Amino acid sequence: VGAEGVDAASVPAVEQMVADLSARLHGKDAGDLQGWEMLGHAYVLMDRYADALDAYSHARTLSGDTDADVLSGYAESLTLSDPGAFMDKALPLFEKALTLDPRNPQALWYGGLGALQRGDSRLAVSRWQALLDQDPPADYRAVIEKAIRSAGGTPATRSAVSIQVRVSLAPGMAGKTAPDETVYVFALPAGAQGSGPPLAVKRFRVQDLPLTLTLSDQDAVLAGRKLSTYDRISVQARVSRSGAPEAAPGDLTGQGAWSKQAPKPVDIVIDTPVK
């Protein structure tokens, strides 16, 4: 069976999964915020915009309009189901989503369209450039670059970032480790944005310490989530007693900070037990 046949055969299965999810949410799991958001997203992909709007309405109620993804999903569904409602009803929601999360992709895209319709081409270009800086897939990148040029701007490629890191083990910790224990060196966005998986990671052994390494966009854990997207980076090193990437009591850790404004090498001393 060719690829087209596989895709066609999978459509009923996908539709059944969506139907099952809808039935669950309209029944015993009506308070499942993530479920309603997933259902809304699925309906958008299926071009069922009115159903998507209904699903995102439930998600908005549950989130109390404090979730940027839910707000932008609702606003997009509204725009797709009723294009005439974009400027008066949907755009204010995209703007609110941007106040909650200035990097929200949907809000940046539609917020740029709204800015252009208001005659503010500079803001439109700024928002689309911010979206471009998130390194979207090639097909999306082409659309965004075309929009920037149409608004009179010039798409800019975010310069790659590389961070030089020196890692050592505090003298007092040498007797608390074994040569073959794992050392993870990883980077996270600094501050409140530092949740989720690391931006970049490398793995070594205690016997490699002290060591000097470079973390760069080439070490990205997830496509589209790169060091170059952020101005401030927290770089951490951890001796993992179990070998697992998740921190556990008994591990040893150390950290340092890196900034685009002062891109100096980061010195990390592993000196703190994880409790």
Side-chain angles (χ1 to χ4, degrees):
V1 180
E4 292 182 2
V6 172
D7 290 342
S10 67
V11 169
V14 171
E15 291 179 340
Q16 185 60 53
M17 289 173 60
V18 172
D20 291 345
L21 176 60
S22 176
R24 178 171 68 79
L25 293 171
H26 283 92
K28 62 184 179 66
D29 291 333
D32 183 356
L33 169 60
Q34 185 177 19
W36 284 113
E37 187 178 357
M38 289 174 58
L39 183 62
H41 181 65
Y43 280 144
V44 169
L45 295 178
M46 297 167 70
D47 298 335
R48 293 172 58 177
Y49 303 134
D51 290 330
L53 194 61
D54 177 73
Y56 276 117
S57 293
H58 287 279
R60 280 188 70 186
T61 299
L62 291 171
S63 67
D65 276 0
T66 61
D67 187 309
D69 291 334
V70 169
L71 268 177
S72 59
Y74 177 91
E76 181 181 49
S77 302
L78 177 59
T79 300
L80 294 172
S81 62
D82 182 9
F86 173 61
M87 291 299 289
D88 291 337
K89 296 181 180 179
L91 184 57
L93 298 177
F94 285 122
E95 297 289 353
K96 183 173 182 178
L98 284 173
T99 64
L100 295 170
D101 178 10
R103 300 182 70 253
N104 182 273
Q106 288 169 296
L108 284 171
W109 172 250
Y110 285 101
L113 291 175
L116 194 63
Q117 288 197 36
R118 292 196 304 262
D120 192 343
S121 58
R122 180 176 295 183
L123 179 59
V125 168
S126 173
R127 287 176 169 176
W128 289 334
Q129 182 61 54
L131 185 54
L132 204 59
D133 289 344
Q134 296 183 34
D135 195 23
D139 50 347
Y140 290 114
R141 172 175 289 275
V143 172
I144 298 165
E145 289 178 342
K146 181 178 179 181
I148 290 175
R149 293 189 185 96
S150 297
T154 302
T157 301
R158 181 177 283 270
S159 58
V161 161
S162 62
I163 303 174
Q164 291 215 336
V165 186
R166 296 189 287 256
V167 183
S168 61
L169 190 63
M173 296 295 173
K176 300 180 180 180
T177 61
D180 63 344
E181 287 181 330
T182 302
V183 177
Y184 289 101
V185 182
F186 55 96
L188 292 164
Q193 294 180 311
S195 59
L199 301 172
V201 63
K202 285 188 174 180
R203 177 175 174 170
F204 303 92
R205 298 287 182 184
V206 168
Q207 62 194 14
D208 299 321
L209 299 173
L211 63 86
T212 299
L213 67 136
T214 299
L215 293 175
S216 72
D217 285 344
Q218 300 301 315
D219 303 306
V221 174
L222 298 175
R225 195 167 184 264
K226 297 185 176 182
L227 295 172
S228 55
T229 306
Y230 299 88
D231 293 328
R232 296 186 303 114
I233 303 290
S234 172
V235 185
Q236 303 177 27
R238 186 174 68 251
V239 175
S240 172
R241 318 314 289 266
S242 67
E246 296 81 12
D251 289 353
L252 305 173
T253 187
Q255 63 180 324
W258 182 89
S259 168
K260 271 186 184 170
Q261 285 67 42
K264 299 178 181 178
V266 179
D267 287 300
I268 298 177
V269 178
I270 300 176
D271 60 1
T272 306
V274 175
K275 298 180 179 180

